[in-house]
Amino acid sequence: MRMLKKVPVLAAVALLLGAATTACTDDGPNRYQSDYSSHEPLHTVGYPSRGSLEIVQETVWRLADNDAEALAGLAVEEGSAADTTARNWVAAFGKAAGGKVTADFYDEGSTRQVVVLYFAASGQKKAIEVRLGQHDSWGVTLAETDPAEAAKAPDWAPATPGGSGSRSPGN
């Protein structure tokens, strides 16, 4: 009888320890909940896949947090170009990413997708590419080491989200 009383207590302790461990990890479900509740919602146009939507959302959150290191961690390929590009993007778009942002997704997103971010507070636009990388995980292409190139608006994108039917340029 005494042993039966200990089993629920041990199970409860194990459950609490597991929950505490998950809450401490950077990529646990609590991180997403915390990020989601502490940032402006991302508005979307077009047809993102689950993977492309998640990586774009995280990209905008890292910009809003002015966290170049975490943004570089989302890169498809690691390296100094990703680190430099992340710093450039944070400098150019970090402040505006804290407000209303609309992501216009072009084409289908099974392995790669071009996305134009519209920053309402500043009127800026930024075209990014997200794609599958190693181990079939989504990442963002960070290869703009020149600050002027990193801050440049795409000349092919419409002035407002959805203006071209969310298709690739030239289609």
Side-chain angles (χ1 to χ4, degrees):
M1 180 84 160
R2 192 169 210 188
M3 184 63 167
L4 290 176
K5 289 183 180 178
K6 288 184 180 180
V7 171
V9 171
L10 291 175
V13 169
L15 182 63
L16 287 173
L17 287 175
T21 302
T22 301
C24 293
T25 62
D26 283 345
D27 57 353
N30 292 335
R31 168 76 186 259
Y32 184 86
Q33 287 289 41
S34 175
D35 277 341
Y36 189 84
S37 65
S38 63
H39 294 92
E40 181 79 21
L42 179 68
H43 302 267
T44 61
V45 176
Y47 303 98
S49 68
R50 178 180 175 189
S52 65
L53 177 59
E54 286 178 359
I55 197 66
V56 169
Q57 178 70 83
E58 282 195 66
T59 298
V60 172
W61 287 340
R62 301 300 71 90
L63 286 170
D65 294 341
N66 291 302
D67 192 343
E69 185 178 338
L71 178 58
L74 301 177
V76 175
E77 296 176 1
E78 296 178 3
S80 62
D83 295 333
T84 302
T85 301
R87 286 193 301 276
N88 290 339
W89 285 12
V90 165
F93 307 106
K95 185 175 180 182
K100 181 180 175 184
V101 179
T102 300
D104 196 346
F105 291 81
Y106 286 73
D107 291 329
E108 60 88 27
S110 60
T111 60
R112 173 184 311 259
Q113 203 158 26
V114 172
V115 181
V116 178
L117 300 176
Y118 292 82
F119 301 94
S122 64
Q124 293 171 290
K125 294 183 290 190
K126 175 65 183 161
I128 65 171
E129 178 191 65
V130 295
R131 64 184 174 92
L132 283 174
Q134 294 180 350
H135 312 293
D136 289 333
S137 61
W138 282 84
V140 62
T141 302
L142 294 170
E144 297 171 333
T145 57
D146 175 35
E149 178 188 3
K152 184 180 176 188
D155 57 2
W156 56 266
T160 59
S164 66
S166 298
R167 291 175 299 176
S168 291
N171 288 345

